[in-house]
Amino acid sequence: MNQNTSKVFGYVRVSTENQLENYSIEEQTVRIRSYCQAKGWHLLKIYTDGGYSGGNTNRPALQQMLFDIKQGKADAVVVYKLDRLSRSQKDTLNLIEDYMLAAGVDFISINENFDTSSPFGRAMIGILSVFAQLEKDQIAERFTMGRIGRSKAGYYHGGPTAPRGYRYIGGELIVDEFKASQVKEIFRLFLDGKSINGIARQMEQKYGGRWNAAGVRVILLNSVYVGKVKFAGTEYDGRHRPLITEEDFQAAQKLLFSPERDARKNSAQKNPFRADTLLSGLILCGRCGARYAGNHGYYKCYSRSKGNLRYVKDPSCKNDNWAISELDALTISSIREMLDNNELLNAAIENARPASERKSNEAEIADRIREINTQIERLLDLYQIGSLPTETLSGRIQALDQEKRALSALLEKRKDSFDVRKQAFLENIQNFCDHFDDSDLDTQRLLIRSIIESILVDGRNISVQWRI
């Protein structure tokens, strides 16, 4: 590279599990700026991904940088350390060779002191990326071993969102007596012949909040209520107090998977969705508005496949087909990532709020409350210097105070309403992560439908509408 005319992009990243490392966002930025200044390079922009894992490339700043690289805007990319670009060997080599070098853009890592403008640097990239992958795998292995050890000791490992009926305090499950009574009631109603959907409706009417068939089914399947903890498909005796007897739990399992269950008048259908694909009924065409259906290994727009003419919206629609396995995997991955990534979770929750409950609207209300407080203070100042009669002061302050009370009540009402929906959404995601892999297809569909309202397909672009 020409030392005087090179145009450079910088890239910095800190993942949520690495916040305690010695190279923070600020430290990486300072090192990159100093390095470019010493080399006489023109640093065009520093792309920052804060709170994103290096285990994949699904990072907004990284994707924007790759797009800008394709536009020919830079001669080189500089990072402080190789694993800031990626901890995956495959992703590291793909990013450098297929995106950067293919576009004539060199890659420089300050900490390792090499760059891809030399053959030795290109060879070292491959070697060091192997060690980055090794470190990632070792961290995952230690984490898994730790969770197995905790499970064997009887500790629940599902995270701070405890199963209904418990609270997660000090690393242990502590019984929440009020919600525990709800769990016991669900088992009693189910064993008495009540359908799953009927139980969900009854619980919602009696206790409020958002209940659905998926949530009830997850409770009925969860062995935590008989004192067990589970990890990687293996159950261990838990330290917590069980809520259901082993006899009642096994009776519920037998009833759930009994072939006679379909014939029971008061029982929910064992197969509530006729299709044999995970996402059927959720996918919508972003171009013509028709639904997608799964057949012959692909999810296809009805308008394009013309499998059922009643559902055709636009016979000329050419929206993409998606391999069933690919879209299923992408959807499952998106749900799991939502639980691990607070930034994505908060964005999804905020976007799901009605327009009347958005933060911008709440900010306007809060500004008005502050303005009222200021007006009241000014009125009191005028009264103290004798510029305002008592009668006038009293009337104005009373009017302002009434407005303030009304606005404050509105803010509190919105907060309470949305907090309930947010908590239900978090619980549904946790239920999904805890039980999806071990569940049958019917339960998997219910778990996904408790989280996702719809999936909009537009070519290769996927947009998920979360059920919040």
Side-chain angles (χ1 to χ4, degrees), residues 258-273:
S258 167
E260 294 83 16
R261 184 169 170 240
D262 286 336
R264 294 183 56 171
K265 181 178 179 180
N266 293 327
S267 173
Q269 295 178 9
K270 189 176 182 182
N271 296 302
F273 304 98

Side-chain angles (χ1 to χ4, degrees), residues 332-376:
I332 294 168
S333 175
S334 297
I335 296 173
R336 294 190 192 280
E337 186 177 7
M338 183 74 69
L339 189 64
D340 296 331
N341 191 317
N342 286 330
E343 187 171 337
L344 286 178
L345 181 62
N346 291 333
I349 290 172
E350 182 60 26
N351 290 336
R353 298 180 71 165
S356 61
E357 294 185 12
R358 296 286 170 85
K359 286 184 177 179
S360 58
N361 185 263
E362 291 179 358
E364 293 175 4
I365 296 175
D367 287 343
R368 176 55 185 161
I369 292 175
R370 285 192 289 270
E371 183 180 334
I372 289 173
N373 290 333
T374 301
Q375 290 182 24
I376 292 176

Side-chain angles (χ1 to χ4, degrees), residues 6-7 10 53 78 96 117 157 196 299 310 313 324 363 366 380 411 444 454 467:
S6 295
K7 296 176 293 183
S53 168
V78 179
I96 295 174
S117 61
H157 63 82
I196 290 178
Y299 289 115
R310 290 186 304 166
K313 299 288 186 180
I324 290 175
L380 291 173
L411 275 181
Q444 289 179 340
S454 62
R467 189 182 294 275

Side-chain angles (χ1 to χ4, degrees), residues 66-86:
L66 296 177
F67 176 81
D68 292 343
I69 286 174
K70 288 184 178 180
Q71 309 306 309
K73 296 181 179 180
D75 300 314
V77 172
V78 179
V79 299
Y80 170 65
K81 196 170 184 283
L82 180 62
D83 63 6
R84 298 304 85 199
L85 181 68
S86 176

Side-chain angles (χ1 to χ4, degrees), residues 24-44:
S24 65
I25 290 291
E26 294 74 15
E27 182 65 20
Q28 292 176 62
T29 301
V30 169
R31 296 290 182 91
I32 290 174
R33 290 189 186 279
S34 300
Y35 186 84
C36 291
Q37 185 177 5
K39 292 286 188 179
W41 296 341
H42 178 40
L43 182 59
L44 298 174

Side-chain angles (χ1 to χ4, degrees), residues 113-357:
N113 194 29
F114 62 83
D115 65 72
T116 59
S117 61
S118 69
F120 179 75
R122 284 192 291 272
M124 286 300 295
I125 287 290
I127 294 171
L128 289 177
S129 63
V130 170
F131 285 102
Q133 178 73 29
L134 177 62
E135 180 183 2
K136 178 176 180 287
D137 293 343
Q138 287 178 328
I139 291 172
E141 182 179 7
R142 288 195 298 269
F143 180 67
T144 299
M145 292 300 294
R147 295 184 74 178
I148 292 175
R150 279 183 55 83
S151 298
K152 286 182 176 180
Y155 289 97
Y156 176 74
H157 63 82
T161 305
R164 183 178 292 272
Y166 294 97
R167 289 176 294 156
Y168 191 70
I169 301 175
E172 297 193 42
L173 292 178
I174 306 300
V175 174
D176 180 327
E177 296 296 346
F178 175 67
K179 291 189 176 181
S181 67
Q182 297 174 1
V183 171
K184 295 175 182 178
E185 185 173 353
I186 286 171
F187 273 88
R188 178 180 58 77
L189 290 171
F190 184 68
L191 293 175
D192 285 346
K194 190 82 171 179
S195 72
I196 290 178
N197 286 316
I199 293 172
R201 289 191 297 269
Q202 182 169 329
M203 299 302 286
E204 187 166 324
Q205 292 169 359
K206 184 174 181 178
Y207 297 105
R210 295 184 66 180
W211 292 79
N212 53 48
V216 172
R217 188 179 176 91
V218 163
I219 288 174
L220 293 170
L221 288 168
N222 199 342
S223 60
V224 74
Y225 297 120
V226 287
K228 302 292 184 179
V229 293
K230 182 185 293 186
F231 181 70
T234 302
E235 284 189 347
Y236 306 94
D237 291 331
R239 297 165 56 91
H240 59 282
R241 174 159 63 91
L243 304 182
I244 305 298
T245 66
E246 182 70 29
E247 181 182 6
D248 284 348
F249 183 77
Q250 293 304 327
Q253 307 316 296
K254 184 177 180 180
L255 180 57
L256 274 170
F257 300 104
S258 167
E260 294 83 16
R261 184 169 170 240
D262 286 336
R264 294 183 56 171
K265 181 178 179 180
N266 293 327
S267 173
Q269 295 178 9
K270 189 176 182 182
N271 296 302
F273 304 98
R274 294 180 181 177
D276 58 357
T277 52
L278 187 66
L279 304 178
S280 291
L282 286 178
I283 311 171
L284 300 175
C285 178
R287 298 181 182 177
C288 73
R291 291 191 177 276
Y292 266 60
N295 57 73
H296 301 295
Y298 288 87
Y299 289 115
K300 302 177 181 180
C301 171
Y302 267 117
S303 293
R304 180 175 178 179
S305 67
K306 300 175 179 60
N308 191 323
L309 296 180
R310 290 186 304 166
Y311 302 124
V312 173
K313 299 288 186 180
D314 178 4
S316 63
C317 182
K318 300 298 182 184
N319 206 352
D320 289 21
N321 297 331
W322 275 77
I324 290 175
S325 58
E326 182 181 3
L327 189 54
D328 286 355
L330 180 61
T331 302
I332 294 168
S333 175
S334 297
I335 296 173
R336 294 190 192 280
E337 186 177 7
M338 183 74 69
L339 189 64
D340 296 331
N341 191 317
N342 286 330
E343 187 171 337
L344 286 178
L345 181 62
N346 291 333
I349 290 172
E350 182 60 26
N351 290 336
R353 298 180 71 165
S356 61
E357 294 185 12

